[in-house]
Amino acid sequence: AAATTTTTTATLVPLVLRVYVQPKEASHPFFGLPGSPDTFAIEGVDTDVLTRTGLAVRGSIVQSPVLRLVRGQRYVFEMQNTPSSTPFFLSSSLVGGTDSAVLTDGVTNSMVSGTQSLIFEPTAATPNLISYQSSVARMGNLIIVVDALPEATSTTTVATTAATTTTTT
């Protein structure tokens, strides 16, 4: 008799966040402080983003939102014609303005601009608090890295696709 083995694996579907550069609005927490007059604005394409007042609707573009990301999920930060003079990177520095604290664990394609993408998959070794920044100070904001999102606080889900392989021998 032939033996049949079925294996099901889950593959992460990356969650896309589009990154723009915009002049800071007066309501921006770093407005008027030393550093760049511009800021990163994030659009949650596949996921909600946190704002200073709560969740933004998927598809909204929000200036310097705090991001809450889940370990083990893959995120793609797609640059939307961002200037090469303000490269986007992840950092353990909460202020930015330097590339000396660039986060590399779980990161592919750091220091991106133009239409490049930075891919981030937080691991168990990723600190709970990091930031997205530029080489120009105060363009980004915090990233809170968690093991799982509380269901009551977000509609974000970890997206997966299941692949099933059946082998008959």
PDB file of all heavy atoms in Angstrom, residues 86-111:
ATOM      1  N   THR A  86      17.137  61.978   2.959  1.00  0.00           N
ATOM      2  CA  THR A  86      16.456  61.571   4.191  1.00  0.00           C
ATOM      3  C   THR A  86      16.165  60.070   4.156  1.00  0.00           C
ATOM      4  O   THR A  86      15.008  59.647   4.130  1.00  0.00           O
ATOM      5  CB  THR A  86      15.145  62.354   4.403  1.00  0.00           C
ATOM      6  OG1 THR A  86      14.310  62.164   3.249  1.00  0.00           O
ATOM      7  CG2 THR A  86      15.385  63.817   4.625  1.00  0.00           C
ATOM      8  N   PRO A  87      17.223  59.237   4.174  1.00  0.00           N
ATOM      9  CA  PRO A  87      16.989  57.784   4.103  1.00  0.00           C
ATOM     10  C   PRO A  87      16.229  57.277   5.324  1.00  0.00           C
ATOM     11  O   PRO A  87      16.413  57.763   6.428  1.00  0.00           O
ATOM     12  CB  PRO A  87      18.396  57.194   4.040  1.00  0.00           C
ATOM     13  CG  PRO A  87      19.256  58.217   4.704  1.00  0.00           C
ATOM     14  CD  PRO A  87      18.634  59.544   4.352  1.00  0.00           C
ATOM     15  N   PHE A  88      15.376  56.308   5.092  1.00  0.00           N
ATOM     16  CA  PHE A  88      14.530  55.696   6.124  1.00  0.00           C
ATOM     17  C   PHE A  88      15.254  54.474   6.673  1.00  0.00           C
ATOM     18  O   PHE A  88      15.766  53.650   5.919  1.00  0.00           O
ATOM     19  CB  PHE A  88      13.216  55.285   5.472  1.00  0.00           C
ATOM     20  CG  PHE A  88      12.221  54.622   6.389  1.00  0.00           C
ATOM     21  CD1 PHE A  88      11.255  55.372   7.036  1.00  0.00           C
ATOM     22  CD2 PHE A  88      12.233  53.245   6.579  1.00  0.00           C
ATOM     23  CE1 PHE A  88      10.309  54.762   7.857  1.00  0.00           C
ATOM     24  CE2 PHE A  88      11.294  52.627   7.400  1.00  0.00           C
ATOM     25  CZ  PHE A  88      10.335  53.387   8.042  1.00  0.00           C
ATOM     26  N   PHE A  89      15.299  54.354   8.006  1.00  0.00           N
ATOM     27  CA  PHE A  89      15.887  53.169   8.628  1.00  0.00           C
ATOM     28  C   PHE A  89      15.253  52.941   9.991  1.00  0.00           C
ATOM     29  O   PHE A  89      14.575  53.814  10.534  1.00  0.00           O
ATOM     30  CB  PHE A  89      17.415  53.275   8.752  1.00  0.00           C
ATOM     31  CG  PHE A  89      17.920  54.410   9.613  1.00  0.00           C
ATOM     32  CD1 PHE A  89      18.183  54.222  10.967  1.00  0.00           C
ATOM     33  CD2 PHE A  89      18.164  55.658   9.075  1.00  0.00           C
ATOM     34  CE1 PHE A  89      18.657  55.246  11.762  1.00  0.00           C
ATOM     35  CE2 PHE A  89      18.647  56.703   9.856  1.00  0.00           C
ATOM     36  CZ  PHE A  89      18.896  56.495  11.203  1.00  0.00           C
ATOM     37  N   LEU A  90      15.460  51.756  10.533  1.00  0.00           N
ATOM     38  CA  LEU A  90      15.004  51.424  11.880  1.00  0.00           C
ATOM     39  C   LEU A  90      16.176  51.576  12.823  1.00  0.00           C
ATOM     40  O   LEU A  90      17.316  51.287  12.472  1.00  0.00           O
ATOM     41  CB  LEU A  90      14.447  50.005  11.920  1.00  0.00           C
ATOM     42  CG  LEU A  90      13.290  49.726  10.956  1.00  0.00           C
ATOM     43  CD1 LEU A  90      12.784  48.304  11.119  1.00  0.00           C
ATOM     44  CD2 LEU A  90      12.167  50.719  11.135  1.00  0.00           C
ATOM     45  N   SER A  91      15.888  52.014  14.049  1.00  0.00           N
ATOM     46  CA  SER A  91      16.958  52.403  14.955  1.00  0.00           C
ATOM     47  C   SER A  91      16.611  52.103  16.404  1.00  0.00           C
ATOM     48  O   SER A  91      15.445  52.038  16.777  1.00  0.00           O
ATOM     49  CB  SER A  91      17.201  53.910  14.791  1.00  0.00           C
ATOM     50  OG  SER A  91      18.138  54.389  15.714  1.00  0.00           O
ATOM     51  N   SER A  92      17.654  51.963  17.205  1.00  0.00           N
ATOM     52  CA  SER A  92      17.450  51.896  18.653  1.00  0.00           C
ATOM     53  C   SER A  92      17.492  53.297  19.261  1.00  0.00           C
ATOM     54  O   SER A  92      17.227  53.475  20.431  1.00  0.00           O
ATOM     55  CB  SER A  92      18.497  50.989  19.305  1.00  0.00           C
ATOM     56  OG  SER A  92      19.794  51.468  19.030  1.00  0.00           O
ATOM     57  N   SER A  93      17.803  54.316  18.434  1.00  0.00           N
ATOM     58  CA  SER A  93      17.766  55.714  18.868  1.00  0.00           C
ATOM     59  C   SER A  93      16.343  56.227  18.737  1.00  0.00           C
ATOM     60  O   SER A  93      15.667  55.962  17.753  1.00  0.00           O
ATOM     61  CB  SER A  93      18.686  56.563  17.989  1.00  0.00           C
ATOM     62  OG  SER A  93      18.414  57.936  18.192  1.00  0.00           O
ATOM     63  N   LEU A  94      15.880  56.959  19.721  1.00  0.00           N
ATOM     64  CA  LEU A  94      14.526  57.484  19.669  1.00  0.00           C
ATOM     65  C   LEU A  94      14.457  58.884  19.064  1.00  0.00           C
ATOM     66  O   LEU A  94      13.377  59.423  18.874  1.00  0.00           O
ATOM     67  CB  LEU A  94      13.905  57.470  21.066  1.00  0.00           C
ATOM     68  CG  LEU A  94      13.854  56.082  21.716  1.00  0.00           C
ATOM     69  CD1 LEU A  94      13.171  56.143  23.059  1.00  0.00           C
ATOM     70  CD2 LEU A  94      13.180  55.066  20.811  1.00  0.00           C
ATOM     71  N   VAL A  95      15.622  59.480  18.739  1.00  0.00           N
ATOM     72  CA  VAL A  95      15.651  60.822  18.175  1.00  0.00           C
ATOM     73  C   VAL A  95      16.011  60.806  16.695  1.00  0.00           C
ATOM     74  O   VAL A  95      15.500  61.572  15.914  1.00  0.00           O
ATOM     75  CB  VAL A  95      16.636  61.733  18.950  1.00  0.00           C
ATOM     76  CG1 VAL A  95      16.734  63.102  18.302  1.00  0.00           C
ATOM     77  CG2 VAL A  95      16.203  61.857  20.393  1.00  0.00           C
ATOM     78  N   GLY A  96      16.898  59.914  16.285  1.00  0.00           N
ATOM     79  CA  GLY A  96      17.355  59.890  14.899  1.00  0.00           C
ATOM     80  C   GLY A  96      18.447  60.913  14.685  1.00  0.00           C
ATOM     81  O   GLY A  96      19.049  61.413  15.627  1.00  0.00           O
ATOM     82  N   GLY A  97      18.714  61.210  13.426  1.00  0.00           N
ATOM     83  CA  GLY A  97      19.750  62.180  13.108  1.00  0.00           C
ATOM     84  C   GLY A  97      21.116  61.555  13.004  1.00  0.00           C
ATOM     85  O   GLY A  97      22.107  62.228  12.809  1.00  0.00           O
ATOM     86  N   THR A  98      21.188  60.259  13.119  1.00  0.00           N
ATOM     87  CA  THR A  98      22.453  59.553  12.966  1.00  0.00           C
ATOM     88  C   THR A  98      22.162  58.161  12.459  1.00  0.00           C
ATOM     89  O   THR A  98      21.073  57.638  12.652  1.00  0.00           O
ATOM     90  CB  THR A  98      23.231  59.483  14.295  1.00  0.00           C
ATOM     91  OG1 THR A  98      24.442  58.760  14.071  1.00  0.00           O
ATOM     92  CG2 THR A  98      22.444  58.781  15.386  1.00  0.00           C
ATOM     93  N   ASP A  99      23.146  57.579  11.810  1.00  0.00           N
ATOM     94  CA  ASP A  99      22.959  56.199  11.374  1.00  0.00           C
ATOM     95  C   ASP A  99      23.778  55.232  12.225  1.00  0.00           C
ATOM     96  O   ASP A  99      23.940  54.084  11.885  1.00  0.00           O
ATOM     97  CB  ASP A  99      23.275  56.040   9.891  1.00  0.00           C
ATOM     98  CG  ASP A  99      24.702  56.426   9.543  1.00  0.00           C
ATOM     99  OD1 ASP A  99      25.484  56.741  10.449  1.00  0.00           O
ATOM    100  OD2 ASP A  99      25.030  56.404   8.344  1.00  0.00           O
ATOM    101  N   SER A 100      24.278  55.702  13.375  1.00  0.00           N
ATOM    102  CA  SER A 100      25.119  54.853  14.229  1.00  0.00           C
ATOM    103  C   SER A 100      24.315  53.826  15.026  1.00  0.00           C
ATOM    104  O   SER A 100      24.877  52.874  15.537  1.00  0.00           O
ATOM    105  CB  SER A 100      25.954  55.715  15.183  1.00  0.00           C
ATOM    106  OG  SER A 100      25.093  56.428  16.047  1.00  0.00           O
ATOM    107  N   ALA A 101      23.020  54.003  15.158  1.00  0.00           N
ATOM    108  CA  ALA A 101      22.196  53.081  15.944  1.00  0.00           C
ATOM    109  C   ALA A 101      21.231  52.295  15.052  1.00  0.00           C
ATOM    110  O   ALA A 101      20.140  51.943  15.458  1.00  0.00           O
ATOM    111  CB  ALA A 101      21.429  53.861  17.005  1.00  0.00           C
ATOM    112  N   VAL A 102      21.663  52.033  13.815  1.00  0.00           N
ATOM    113  CA  VAL A 102      20.812  51.334  12.853  1.00  0.00           C
ATOM    114  C   VAL A 102      20.537  49.918  13.327  1.00  0.00           C
ATOM    115  O   VAL A 102      21.444  49.188  13.710  1.00  0.00           O
ATOM    116  CB  VAL A 102      21.463  51.312  11.454  1.00  0.00           C
ATOM    117  CG1 VAL A 102      20.652  50.473  10.485  1.00  0.00           C
ATOM    118  CG2 VAL A 102      21.614  52.724  10.926  1.00  0.00           C
ATOM    119  N   LEU A 103      19.266  49.543  13.318  1.00  0.00           N
ATOM    120  CA  LEU A 103      18.848  48.193  13.682  1.00  0.00           C
ATOM    121  C   LEU A 103      19.034  47.289  12.470  1.00  0.00           C
ATOM    122  O   LEU A 103      18.584  47.629  11.370  1.00  0.00           O
ATOM    123  CB  LEU A 103      17.378  48.213  14.115  1.00  0.00           C
ATOM    124  CG  LEU A 103      16.809  46.936  14.692  1.00  0.00           C
ATOM    125  CD1 LEU A 103      17.418  46.655  16.056  1.00  0.00           C
ATOM    126  CD2 LEU A 103      15.300  47.050  14.811  1.00  0.00           C
ATOM    127  N   THR A 104      19.697  46.157  12.643  1.00  0.00           N
ATOM    128  CA  THR A 104      19.937  45.247  11.526  1.00  0.00           C
ATOM    129  C   THR A 104      19.277  43.890  11.708  1.00  0.00           C
ATOM    130  O   THR A 104      18.996  43.204  10.735  1.00  0.00           O
ATOM    131  CB  THR A 104      21.448  45.045  11.302  1.00  0.00           C
ATOM    132  OG1 THR A 104      22.036  44.564  12.513  1.00  0.00           O
ATOM    133  CG2 THR A 104      22.119  46.351  10.883  1.00  0.00           C
ATOM    134  N   ASP A 105      19.002  43.487  12.964  1.00  0.00           N
ATOM    135  CA  ASP A 105      18.397  42.186  13.218  1.00  0.00           C
ATOM    136  C   ASP A 105      16.972  42.148  12.674  1.00  0.00           C
ATOM    137  O   ASP A 105      16.130  42.950  13.074  1.00  0.00           O
ATOM    138  CB  ASP A 105      18.399  41.877  14.722  1.00  0.00           C
ATOM    139  CG  ASP A 105      17.875  40.488  15.030  1.00  0.00           C
ATOM    140  OD1 ASP A 105      18.187  39.550  14.272  1.00  0.00           O
ATOM    141  OD2 ASP A 105      17.136  40.347  16.021  1.00  0.00           O
ATOM    142  N   GLY A 106      16.708  41.249  11.750  1.00  0.00           N
ATOM    143  CA  GLY A 106      15.376  41.128  11.165  1.00  0.00           C
ATOM    144  C   GLY A 106      15.085  42.136  10.071  1.00  0.00           C
ATOM    145  O   GLY A 106      13.971  42.216   9.575  1.00  0.00           O
ATOM    146  N   VAL A 107      16.093  42.945   9.681  1.00  0.00           N
ATOM    147  CA  VAL A 107      15.912  44.004   8.689  1.00  0.00           C
ATOM    148  C   VAL A 107      16.622  43.645   7.391  1.00  0.00           C
ATOM    149  O   VAL A 107      17.768  43.217   7.390  1.00  0.00           O
ATOM    150  CB  VAL A 107      16.470  45.351   9.209  1.00  0.00           C
ATOM    151  CG1 VAL A 107      16.356  46.439   8.157  1.00  0.00           C
ATOM    152  CG2 VAL A 107      15.757  45.761  10.486  1.00  0.00           C
ATOM    153  N   THR A 108      15.925  43.845   6.279  1.00  0.00           N
ATOM    154  CA  THR A 108      16.518  43.709   4.953  1.00  0.00           C
ATOM    155  C   THR A 108      16.395  45.057   4.264  1.00  0.00           C
ATOM    156  O   THR A 108      15.329  45.676   4.301  1.00  0.00           O
ATOM    157  CB  THR A 108      15.769  42.636   4.127  1.00  0.00           C
ATOM    158  OG1 THR A 108      15.765  41.409   4.859  1.00  0.00           O
ATOM    159  CG2 THR A 108      16.421  42.424   2.772  1.00  0.00           C
ATOM    160  N   ASN A 109      17.483  45.518   3.653  1.00  0.00           N
ATOM    161  CA  ASN A 109      17.502  46.778   2.894  1.00  0.00           C
ATOM    162  C   ASN A 109      17.352  48.001   3.782  1.00  0.00           C
ATOM    163  O   ASN A 109      16.422  48.787   3.633  1.00  0.00           O
ATOM    164  CB  ASN A 109      16.422  46.814   1.810  1.00  0.00           C
ATOM    165  CG  ASN A 109      16.539  45.685   0.828  1.00  0.00           C
ATOM    166  OD1 ASN A 109      17.620  45.179   0.593  1.00  0.00           O
ATOM    167  ND2 ASN A 109      15.425  45.276   0.261  1.00  0.00           N
ATOM    168  N   SER A 110      18.260  48.214   4.695  1.00  0.00           N
ATOM    169  CA  SER A 110      18.209  49.402   5.546  1.00  0.00           C
ATOM    170  C   SER A 110      18.683  50.626   4.767  1.00  0.00           C
ATOM    171  O   SER A 110      19.294  50.507   3.709  1.00  0.00           O
ATOM    172  CB  SER A 110      19.086  49.189   6.774  1.00  0.00           C
ATOM    173  OG  SER A 110      18.785  50.151   7.749  1.00  0.00           O
ATOM    174  N   MET A 111      18.396  51.811   5.309  1.00  0.00           N
ATOM    175  CA  MET A 111      18.793  53.094   4.699  1.00  0.00           C
ATOM    176  C   MET A 111      18.214  53.227   3.292  1.00  0.00           C
ATOM    177  O   MET A 111      18.919  53.398   2.314  1.00  0.00           O
ATOM    178  CB  MET A 111      20.313  53.245   4.683  1.00  0.00           C
ATOM    179  CG  MET A 111      20.981  53.101   6.032  1.00  0.00           C
ATOM    180  SD  MET A 111      20.466  54.334   7.240  1.00  0.00           S
ATOM    181  CE  MET A 111      21.438  55.712   6.740  1.00  0.00           C
TER     182      MET A 111
END
